[in-house]
Amino acid sequence: MSHLRFFNGQPRTLSGILEYTLPEEDTPSIGINLCPDTAYEEMQVVKEIWRKPGGRKYKHYVLSFEEEVQLPAETLLEIGYKVGQYFADEYQLLISAHQNTDNLHLHFVQNTINMLTGKKLNLTKGDMLDVKIHANKVLAEYQLNPIDLHDTPAALAKTQNQTIQ
């Protein structure tokens, strides 16, 4: 099984989480609506434009794969980019590939301010389930094991009559 985990709370600052997900200059990364090298500055600009510098600064989630999955960094980032397209119209997102552990994984750091409306991101359990469904469609393109959708009560109710193709 692949896993997509959304983290609650923010133990790190925005700059701290970006440093964690991009620990070295050569960490493979890609940005949606931002450049990885200037992710912090660009996210801050959106917050300043909409006059929302406080509160929750980012949403962090990780897509991980089984230990036996071996993919080149380019393919990992391609998968991450396609998963990130779920939010591409309205949010900034930094995606980085970590290949330095037993299992490959992708970190997603998303600005919580909508670029177009200035509204704060509010992901419900249903929204997180929708992201997982979208991610499973992407994973199927690469013949990778899907994310278990039935790990929450909300998932059971929403997916009873829905088939992942």
Side-chain angles (χ1 to χ4, degrees):
M1 275 283 132
S2 298
H3 299 280
L4 183 59
R5 181 171 177 210
F6 293 85
F7 294 95
N8 292 324
Q10 296 182 318
R12 292 182 166 94
T13 63
L14 177 58
S15 62
I17 194 68
L18 293 172
E19 287 173 18
Y20 173 75
T21 60
L22 293 171
E24 301 165 6
E25 287 183 23
D26 62 345
T27 299
S29 62
I30 191 166
I32 294 178
N33 299 317
L34 56 72
C35 175
D37 293 338
T38 55
Y40 176 79
E41 293 82 2
E42 291 181 54
M43 286 184 182
Q44 287 299 108
V45 165
V46 169
K47 292 174 188 312
E48 290 171 18
I49 287 171
W50 291 104
R51 297 183 181 148
K52 295 193 177 175
R56 194 169 30 95
K57 307 273 188 216
Y58 62 87
K59 185 66 177 173
H60 178 216
Y61 38 105
V62 174
L63 175 59
S64 60
F65 307 94
E66 298 91 348
E67 287 185 30
E68 59 273 2
V69 172
Q70 296 299 315
L71 299 168
E74 299 80 28
T75 304
L76 274 175
L77 289 178
E78 189 176 292
I79 291 167
Y81 183 81
K82 288 180 178 182
V83 170
Q85 287 299 302
Y86 186 84
F87 294 106
D89 291 341
E90 300 177 342
Y91 291 93
Q92 295 168 305
L93 191 62
L94 175 72
I95 305 157
S96 59
H98 284 204
Q99 300 171 289
N100 59 346
T101 61
D102 289 341
N103 64 319
L104 300 176
H105 58 280
L106 293 161
H107 285 269
F108 297 81
V109 179
Q110 181 175 354
N111 193 347
T112 55
I113 304 299
N114 182 309
M115 297 180 314
L116 303 177
T117 66
K119 292 183 180 179
K120 276 273 197 186
L121 175 70
N122 181 26
L123 287 179
T124 65
K125 287 182 181 181
D127 294 331
M128 289 183 268
L129 177 61
D130 289 343
V131 175
K132 289 180 179 183
I133 291 168
H134 172 76
N136 276 349
K137 291 176 184 176
V138 174
L139 295 174
E141 291 177 35
Y142 295 87
Q143 292 80 45
L144 294 168
N145 287 331
I147 298 160
D148 181 7
L149 299 179
H150 301 287
D151 58 359
T152 65
L156 288 173
K158 191 160 188 174
T159 61
Q160 281 178 343
N161 296 318
Q162 190 169 8
T163 304
I164 304 298
Q165 298 292 333

